Amino acid sequence: MTDLSNAEKDPSDWTTGDEPATGAQESYLHTLAGEAHEDVPDGLTKAEASQKIDELQEKTGRGR
């Protein structure tokens, strides 16, 4: 795992991480998943969605 700065917390440490993914997260996930030719599971939490976004960004070359 990479070293995270104080400005970026691990999604598993988020106090709202167990809430449902936001509309923006779901929209971006579906965009990335389409590019990666993958399916997005339903019912992801905010933390799970964030982790999946990171994974798909790496796979597609998008993001950070």
Side-chain angles (χ1 to χ4, degrees), residues 6-52:
N6 288 337
E8 184 177 347
K9 291 175 81 174
D10 184 326
S12 63
D13 293 334
W14 294 354
T15 57
T16 61
D18 60 348
E19 293 178 2
T22 66
Q25 282 179 310
E26 289 181 357
S27 177
Y28 190 43
L29 265 174
H30 286 283
T31 298
L32 289 171
E35 291 178 12
H37 307 289
E38 288 193 15
D39 292 323
V40 177
D42 291 330
L44 294 178
T45 65
K46 287 181 182 178
E48 291 167 337
S50 179
Q51 291 167 337
K52 187 68 174 175

